[in-house]
Coordinates of all heavy atoms in Angstrom, one line a residue:
M1 N 2.6 37.3 61.2 CA 2.4 35.9 61.1 C 1.1 35.6 60.5 O 0.1 36.3 60.7 CB 2.5 35.3 62.5 CG 2.8 33.8 62.5 SD 3.2 33.1 64.1 CE 5.0 33.1 63.9
A2 N 1.0 34.5 59.7 CA -0.2 34.2 59.0 C -1.2 33.2 59.7 O -1.9 32.5 59.1 CB 0.2 33.6 57.6
A3 N -1.1 33.3 61.0 CA -2.0 32.4 61.8 C -3.5 32.7 61.7 O -4.3 31.8 61.9 CB -1.6 32.4 63.3
A4 N -3.8 33.9 61.3 CA -5.2 34.3 61.1 C -5.9 33.5 60.0 O -7.1 33.4 60.0 CB -5.3 35.8 60.9
A5 N -5.1 33.0 59.0 CA -5.7 32.3 57.9 C -5.7 30.8 58.1 O -6.0 30.1 57.1 CB -4.9 32.6 56.6
H6 N -5.5 30.4 59.3 CA -5.4 28.9 59.6 C -6.8 28.2 59.3 O -7.8 28.6 59.9 CB -5.0 28.7 61.0 CG -5.0 27.3 61.4 ND1 -4.0 26.4 61.0 CD2 -5.8 26.5 62.2 CE1 -4.2 25.2 61.4 NE2 -5.3 25.2 62.2
G7 N -6.8 27.3 58.4 CA -8.0 26.5 58.1 C -9.0 27.1 57.3 O -10.0 26.4 57.0
H8 N -8.9 28.3 56.8 CA -9.9 28.9 56.0 C -9.6 28.6 54.5 O -9.2 29.5 53.7 CB -9.9 30.4 56.2 CG -10.3 30.8 57.6 ND1 -11.6 30.7 58.1 CD2 -9.6 31.2 58.7 CE1 -11.7 31.0 59.3 NE2 -10.4 31.3 59.7
N9 N -9.8 27.4 54.1 CA -9.6 27.0 52.7 C -10.5 25.8 52.4 O -11.0 25.1 53.3 CB -8.2 26.7 52.4 CG -7.6 25.6 53.4 OD1 -8.1 24.5 53.3 ND2 -6.6 26.0 54.2
P10 N -10.8 25.5 51.2 CA -11.8 24.5 50.8 C -11.3 23.1 51.3 O -12.2 22.3 51.7 CB -11.8 24.5 49.3 CG -11.4 25.9 48.9 CD -10.4 26.3 50.0
A11 N -10.0 22.8 51.3 CA -9.6 21.5 51.7 C -9.9 21.3 53.2 O -10.4 20.2 53.6 CB -8.1 21.3 51.5
A12 N -9.6 22.3 54.0 CA -9.9 22.1 55.5 C -11.4 22.0 55.7 O -11.8 21.2 56.5 CB -9.3 23.4 56.2
W13 N -12.2 22.9 55.1 CA -13.6 22.8 55.4 C -14.2 21.5 54.9 O -15.1 20.9 55.6 CB -14.4 24.0 54.6 CG -14.2 25.2 55.4 CD1 -13.4 26.3 55.0 CD2 -14.9 25.6 56.6 NE1 -13.6 27.3 56.0 CE2 -14.5 26.9 56.9 CE3 -15.9 25.0 57.4 CZ2 -15.0 27.6 58.0 CZ3 -16.4 25.7 58.5 CH2 -15.9 27.0 58.8
T14 N -13.8 21.0 53.8 CA -14.3 19.7 53.3 C -13.9 18.5 54.2 O -14.8 17.7 54.6 CB -13.8 19.4 51.9 OG1 -14.2 20.5 51.0 CG2 -14.4 18.1 51.3
G15 N -12.7 18.5 54.6 CA -12.2 17.4 55.5 C -12.9 17.5 56.8 O -13.3 16.4 57.3
V16 N -13.1 18.6 57.4 CA -13.8 18.7 58.7 C -15.3 18.4 58.5 O -15.8 17.7 59.4 CB -13.6 20.2 59.3 CG1 -14.6 20.4 60.4 CG2 -12.2 20.4 59.7
T17 N -15.9 18.8 57.5 CA -17.3 18.4 57.3 C -17.5 16.9 57.1 O -18.4 16.4 57.8 CB -17.9 19.1 56.0 OG1 -17.7 20.6 56.2 CG2 -19.3 18.8 55.8
I18 N -16.7 16.3 56.3 CA -16.8 14.8 56.2 C -16.5 14.1 57.5 O -17.2 13.2 57.9 CB -15.9 14.3 55.1 CG1 -16.3 14.8 53.7 CG2 -15.8 12.8 55.0 CD1 -15.4 14.6 52.6
T19 N -15.5 14.6 58.2 CA -15.2 14.0 59.5 C -16.3 14.2 60.5 O -16.7 13.3 61.3 CB -13.9 14.6 60.1 OG1 -12.9 14.4 59.1 CG2 -13.5 14.0 61.4
F20 N -16.9 15.4 60.5 CA -18.1 15.6 61.4 C -19.2 14.7 61.1 O -19.9 14.2 62.0 CB -18.5 17.1 61.2 CG -19.6 17.5 62.2 CD1 -19.4 17.7 63.5 CD2 -20.9 17.7 61.7 CE1 -20.4 18.1 64.3 CE2 -22.0 18.0 62.5 CZ -21.7 18.2 63.8
I21 N -19.5 14.5 59.8 CA -20.6 13.5 59.5 C -20.2 12.1 60.0 O -21.1 11.4 60.5 CB -20.8 13.5 57.9 CG1 -21.4 14.9 57.5 CG2 -21.7 12.4 57.5 CD1 -21.4 15.1 56.0
G22 N -19.0 11.7 59.8 CA -18.5 10.4 60.3 C -18.7 10.3 61.8 O -19.2 9.2 62.3
F23 N -18.4 11.3 62.6 CA -18.6 11.3 64.0 C -20.1 11.2 64.4 O -20.5 10.5 65.3 CB -18.0 12.5 64.7 CG -16.5 12.3 65.1 CD1 -15.6 13.1 64.4 CD2 -16.1 11.4 66.0 CE1 -14.2 12.9 64.7 CE2 -14.8 11.2 66.3 CZ -13.8 12.0 65.7
G24 N -20.9 11.9 63.6 CA -22.4 11.8 63.8 C -22.9 10.4 63.5 O -23.7 9.9 64.3
I25 N -22.4 9.8 62.5 CA -22.8 8.4 62.2 C -22.4 7.5 63.3 O -23.2 6.6 63.8 CB -22.2 7.9 60.9 CG1 -22.9 8.7 59.7 CG2 -22.4 6.4 60.7 CD1 -22.2 8.4 58.4
A26 N -21.2 7.6 63.8 CA -20.7 6.7 64.9 C -21.4 7.0 66.2 O -21.7 6.1 67.0 CB -19.2 6.9 65.1
G27 N -21.8 8.3 66.4 CA -22.5 8.6 67.6 C -23.9 8.0 67.6 O -24.4 7.5 68.6
V28 N -24.6 8.1 66.5 CA -25.9 7.5 66.4 C -25.8 6.0 66.6 O -26.7 5.3 67.2 CB -26.6 7.8 65.0 CG1 -27.8 7.0 64.8 CG2 -26.9 9.3 65.0
A29 N -24.7 5.4 66.0 CA -24.5 3.9 66.2 C -24.3 3.5 67.6 O -24.6 2.4 68.0 CB -23.3 3.5 65.3
M30 N -23.8 4.4 68.4 CA -23.6 4.1 69.9 C -25.0 4.0 70.6 O -25.1 3.3 71.5 CB -22.8 5.2 70.6 CG -21.4 5.3 70.0 SD -20.4 3.9 70.6 CE -18.8 4.4 70.0
I31 N -25.9 4.9 70.1 CA -27.3 4.8 70.7 C -28.0 3.6 70.2 O -28.7 2.9 71.0 CB -28.0 6.1 70.4 CG1 -27.3 7.3 71.0 CG2 -29.5 6.1 70.8 CD1 -27.8 8.7 70.5
L32 N -28.0 3.3 68.9 CA -28.6 2.1 68.4 C -27.5 1.1 68.4 O -26.6 1.1 67.5 CB -29.0 2.3 66.9 CG -29.8 3.6 66.6 CD1 -29.8 3.7 65.1 CD2 -31.2 3.4 67.1
P33 N -27.4 0.2 69.3 CA -26.2 -0.7 69.4 C -25.9 -1.4 68.1 O -26.4 -2.5 67.9 CB -26.6 -1.6 70.5 CG -28.0 -1.5 70.8 CD -28.5 -0.2 70.2
S34 N -25.2 -0.8 67.2 CA -24.8 -1.3 65.9 C -23.3 -1.2 65.7 O -22.8 -0.1 65.4 CB -25.6 -0.6 64.8 OG -25.1 -1.0 63.6
V35 N -22.6 -2.3 65.9 CA -21.2 -2.3 65.7 C -20.8 -2.0 64.3 O -19.8 -1.3 64.0 CB -20.6 -3.7 66.1 CG1 -19.1 -3.8 65.9 CG2 -20.9 -4.0 67.6
L36 N -21.6 -2.5 63.3 CA -21.3 -2.3 61.9 C -21.4 -0.8 61.6 O -20.5 -0.2 60.9 CB -22.2 -3.0 61.0 CG -22.0 -2.9 59.5 CD1 -20.6 -3.5 59.2 CD2 -23.1 -3.7 58.8
L37 N -22.4 -0.1 62.1 CA -22.5 1.3 61.9 C -21.4 2.2 62.6 O -21.0 3.2 62.1 CB -23.9 1.8 62.4 CG -24.5 3.1 61.7 CD1 -24.5 3.0 60.2 CD2 -25.9 3.3 62.3
V38 N -20.9 1.7 63.7 CA -19.8 2.4 64.4 C -18.6 2.3 63.5 O -17.9 3.3 63.2 CB -19.5 1.7 65.8 CG1 -18.2 2.3 66.3 CG2 -20.6 2.0 66.7
W39 N -18.3 1.1 62.9 CA -17.1 1.0 62.0 C -17.3 1.8 60.8 O -16.4 2.4 60.2 CB -16.9 -0.5 61.7 CG -16.2 -1.2 62.9 CD1 -16.8 -2.1 63.7 CD2 -14.9 -1.0 63.4 NE1 -15.9 -2.5 64.7 CE2 -14.8 -1.8 64.5 CE3 -13.9 -0.1 63.0 CZ2 -13.6 -1.9 65.2 CZ3 -12.7 -0.2 63.8 CH2 -12.6 -1.0 64.9
A40 N -18.6 1.9 60.3 CA -18.8 2.7 59.1 C -18.6 4.2 59.4 O -18.0 4.9 58.5 CB -20.3 2.5 58.6
G41 N -19.0 4.6 60.5 CA -18.8 6.0 60.9 C -17.3 6.3 61.1 O -16.8 7.4 60.6
L42 N -16.5 5.4 61.6 CA -15.1 5.6 61.8 C -14.4 5.6 60.4 O -13.4 6.3 60.2 CB -14.5 4.5 62.7 CG -14.9 4.6 64.2 CD1 -14.4 3.5 65.0 CD2 -14.5 6.0 64.8
A43 N -14.9 4.8 59.5 CA -14.4 4.8 58.1 C -14.6 6.1 57.5 O -13.7 6.6 56.7 CB -15.0 3.7 57.3
V44 N -15.8 6.7 57.7 CA -16.1 8.0 57.1 C -15.2 9.1 57.8 O -14.7 10.0 57.1 CB -17.6 8.4 57.3 CG1 -17.8 9.8 56.9 CG2 -18.4 7.4 56.5
V45 N -14.9 9.0 59.0 CA -13.9 9.9 59.7 C -12.6 9.8 59.0 O -12.0 10.8 58.7 CB -13.8 9.6 61.2 CG1 -12.6 10.3 61.8 CG2 -15.1 9.9 61.9
L46 N -12.1 8.6 58.8 CA -10.8 8.5 58.1 C -10.8 9.0 56.7 O -9.9 9.6 56.2 CB -10.4 7.0 58.1 CG -10.0 6.4 59.5 CD1 -9.7 4.9 59.4 CD2 -8.8 7.1 60.1
L47 N -12.0 8.8 56.0 CA -12.1 9.3 54.7 C -12.0 10.8 54.6 O -11.5 11.4 53.7 CB -13.5 8.8 54.1 CG -13.8 9.3 52.7 CD1 -12.9 8.7 51.7 CD2 -15.3 9.0 52.4
G48 N -12.6 11.5 55.7 CA -12.5 12.9 55.8 C -11.0 13.4 55.8 O -10.7 14.4 55.1
G49 N -10.2 12.7 56.6 CA -8.8 13.1 56.6 C -8.1 12.9 55.3 O -7.3 13.7 54.9
V50 N -8.4 11.8 54.6 CA -7.8 11.5 53.3 C -8.2 12.5 52.3 O -7.4 13.0 51.5 CB -8.1 10.0 52.9 CG1 -7.7 9.8 51.5 CG2 -7.5 9.0 53.8
V51 N -9.5 12.8 52.2 CA -10.0 13.8 51.3 C -9.4 15.1 51.5 O -9.0 15.8 50.6 CB -11.6 13.8 51.3 CG1 -12.1 15.0 50.5 CG2 -12.1 12.5 50.7
G52 N -9.4 15.6 52.8 CA -8.8 16.9 53.1 C -7.3 17.0 52.7 O -6.9 18.0 52.1
K53 N -6.6 15.9 53.0 CA -5.2 15.9 52.6 C -5.0 15.9 51.1 O -4.1 16.6 50.5 CB -4.5 14.7 53.2 CG -3.0 14.6 53.0 CD -2.2 15.8 53.6 CE -0.8 15.6 53.4 NZ 0.0 16.8 53.9
A54 N -5.8 15.1 50.4 CA -5.7 15.0 48.9 C -6.1 16.4 48.3 O -5.4 16.8 47.4 CB -6.6 13.9 48.4
M55 N -7.1 17.0 48.8 CA -7.4 18.4 48.3 C -6.3 19.4 48.6 O -6.1 20.2 47.7 CB -8.8 18.8 48.9 CG -10.0 18.1 48.4 SD -11.5 18.7 49.1 CE -11.6 20.3 48.5
S56 N -5.7 19.3 49.7 CA -4.6 20.2 50.1 C -3.5 20.0 49.1 O -2.9 20.9 48.6 CB -4.2 19.9 51.5 OG -3.2 20.8 51.9
M57 N -3.1 18.7 48.8 CA -2.1 18.4 47.9 C -2.4 18.8 46.5 O -1.5 19.1 45.7 CB -1.7 16.9 48.0 CG -1.1 16.5 49.3 SD -0.8 14.8 49.5 CE 0.3 14.4 48.2
A58 N -3.7 18.9 46.2 CA -4.1 19.3 44.8 C -4.1 20.8 44.7 O -4.5 21.3 43.6 CB -5.5 18.7 44.5
G59 N -3.8 21.5 45.7 CA -3.7 23.0 45.6 C -4.8 23.7 46.2 O -4.9 25.0 46.1
M60 N -5.8 23.1 46.9 CA -6.9 23.7 47.5 C -6.7 24.0 49.0 O -7.7 24.4 49.6 CB -8.2 22.9 47.2 CG -8.6 22.8 45.8 SD -10.1 21.9 45.6 CE -9.5 20.6 44.6
G61 N -5.5 23.8 49.5 CA -5.2 24.0 50.9 C -4.6 25.4 51.1 O -4.7 26.3 50.2
K62 N -3.9 25.6 52.2 CA -3.2 26.8 52.5 C -2.1 27.0 51.5 O -1.3 26.1 51.3 CB -2.7 26.8 53.9 CG -2.1 28.1 54.3 CD -1.6 28.0 55.7 CE -0.9 29.3 56.0 NZ 0.0 29.2 57.2
Q63 N -2.1 28.2 50.9 CA -1.0 28.5 49.9 C 0.2 29.0 50.6 O 0.1 29.6 51.7 CB -1.6 29.6 48.9 CG -2.8 29.1 48.1 CD -2.6 27.9 47.3 OE1 -1.5 27.8 46.7 NE2 -3.5 27.0 47.4
P64 N 1.4 28.7 50.0 CA 2.6 29.2 50.6 C 2.7 30.7 50.7 O 2.0 31.4 49.9 CB 3.7 28.7 49.7 CG 3.1 28.0 48.6 CD 1.6 28.0 48.8
S65 N 3.4 31.2 51.6 CA 3.5 32.7 51.9 C 4.2 33.3 50.7 O 5.2 32.8 50.2 CB 4.2 32.9 53.2 OG 4.4 34.3 53.3
T66 N 3.8 34.5 50.3 CA 4.5 35.3 49.3 C 5.5 36.2 49.9 O 6.2 36.9 49.2 CB 3.5 36.1 48.5 OG1 2.7 36.9 49.3 CG2 2.5 35.2 47.7
M67 N 5.6 36.2 51.2 CA 6.5 37.1 52.0 C 7.8 36.4 52.1 O 8.2 35.9 53.2 CB 5.9 37.5 53.3 CG 4.6 38.2 53.2 SD 4.9 39.8 52.6 CE 4.1 40.8 53.8
V68 N 8.6 36.3 51.1 CA 9.9 35.6 51.1 C 10.9 36.7 51.0 O 11.0 37.5 50.0 CB 10.0 34.6 49.9 CG1 11.4 34.0 50.0 CG2 8.9 33.6 50.0
Y69 N 11.8 36.8 51.9 CA 12.9 37.8 52.0 C 14.2 37.2 51.8 O 14.5 36.1 52.3 CB 12.8 38.6 53.3 CG 11.5 39.3 53.5 CD1 10.6 38.9 54.5 CD2 11.2 40.4 52.8 CE1 9.4 39.6 54.7 CE2 10.0 41.1 53.0 CZ 9.1 40.7 53.9 OH 8.0 41.4 54.2
T70 N 15.1 37.9 51.2 CA 16.5 37.5 51.2 C 17.1 37.8 52.6 O 16.6 38.4 53.4 CB 17.3 38.3 50.1 OG1 17.3 39.7 50.5 CG2 16.7 38.1 48.7
H71 N 18.4 37.3 52.8 CA 19.0 37.5 54.0 C 19.3 39.0 54.3 O 19.2 39.5 55.4 CB 20.4 36.7 54.1 CG 20.2 35.3 54.1 ND1 19.7 34.6 55.2 CD2 20.5 34.3 53.2 CE1 19.6 33.3 55.0 NE2 20.1 33.1 53.8
E72 N 19.6 39.7 53.2 CA 19.8 41.2 53.4 C 18.6 41.9 53.8 O 18.6 42.8 54.6 CB 20.4 41.7 52.1 CG 21.8 41.3 51.7 CD 21.7 39.9 51.0 OE1 20.7 39.4 50.5 OE2 22.8 39.2 51.0
E73 N 17.4 41.5 53.2 CA 16.1 42.1 53.5 C 15.7 41.8 54.9 O 15.2 42.6 55.7 CB 15.1 41.7 52.5 CG 15.3 42.2 51.1 CD 14.3 41.6 50.1 OE1 13.9 40.4 50.3 OE2 14.0 42.3 49.1
Q74 N 16.0 40.5 55.4 CA 15.7 40.2 56.7 C 16.5 41.0 57.7 O 16.0 41.4 58.8 CB 15.9 38.7 56.9 CG 14.9 37.8 56.3 CD 15.2 36.3 56.4 OE1 16.2 35.9 56.9 NE2 14.3 35.5 55.9
A75 N 17.8 41.1 57.4 CA 18.7 41.9 58.3 C 18.2 43.4 58.4 O 18.2 44.0 59.4 CB 20.1 41.8 57.8
A76 N 17.8 43.9 57.2 CA 17.3 45.3 57.2 C 16.0 45.5 58.0 O 15.9 46.4 58.7 CB 17.1 45.8 55.8
L77 N 15.1 44.5 57.9 CA 13.9 44.5 58.7 C 14.2 44.4 60.2 O 13.6 45.1 61.0 CB 13.0 43.4 58.2 CG 12.3 43.6 56.9 CD1 11.5 42.4 56.5 CD2 11.3 44.8 56.9
A78 N 15.1 43.5 60.5 CA 15.5 43.4 61.9 C 16.1 44.6 62.5 O 15.8 45.0 63.6 CB 16.4 42.2 62.1
A79 N 16.9 45.3 61.7 CA 17.6 46.5 62.1 C 16.6 47.6 62.3 O 16.7 48.5 63.2 CB 18.7 46.9 61.2
A80 N 15.6 47.7 61.4 CA 14.6 48.7 61.4 C 13.7 48.6 62.6 O 13.2 49.6 63.2 CB 13.8 48.7 60.1
S81 N 13.4 47.4 63.0 CA 12.5 47.1 64.1 C 13.2 47.2 65.5 O 12.5 47.4 66.5 CB 11.8 45.8 64.0 OG 12.7 44.7 64.1
A82 N 14.5 47.2 65.5 CA 15.3 47.2 66.8 C 15.5 48.6 67.2 O 15.2 49.6 66.9 CB 16.6 46.5 66.6

């Protein structure tokens, strides 16, 4: 299973970094009672999600698996492992 490669791509790192910055802005705004800065931070959080998804759709996200088997190959693998 390819679970070990989860999130290790430019789209994921960029989206998380932008979102982290947005949470930082909103967190600082909670200390300095600034409603406008809280909304700005939340807007940056949403921007991080949009940028990450756009980069993923542009081909910088997780690539599809090259391990594609026919039904016959799957049956042979299942029989070999049983």
Side-chain angles (χ1 to χ4, degrees):
M1 195 169 264
H6 178 73
H8 296 286
N9 55 64
W13 281 104
T14 303
V16 167
T17 300
I18 293 172
T19 303
F20 183 75
I21 291 168
F23 274 112
I25 292 169
V28 168
M30 296 285 185
I31 296 169
L32 313 166
S34 172
V35 175
L36 182 61
L37 202 55
V38 170
W39 286 109
L42 293 177
V44 173
V45 168
L46 292 175
L47 178 69
V50 170
V51 168
K53 183 64 175 173
M55 287 180 68
S56 181
M57 291 173 66
M60 292 182 243
K62 183 179 177 198
Q63 299 301 316
S65 175
T66 58
M67 299 289 231
V68 179
Y69 298 109
T70 64
H71 292 292
E72 293 81 17
E73 291 171 332
Q74 288 177 354
L77 286 172
S81 66

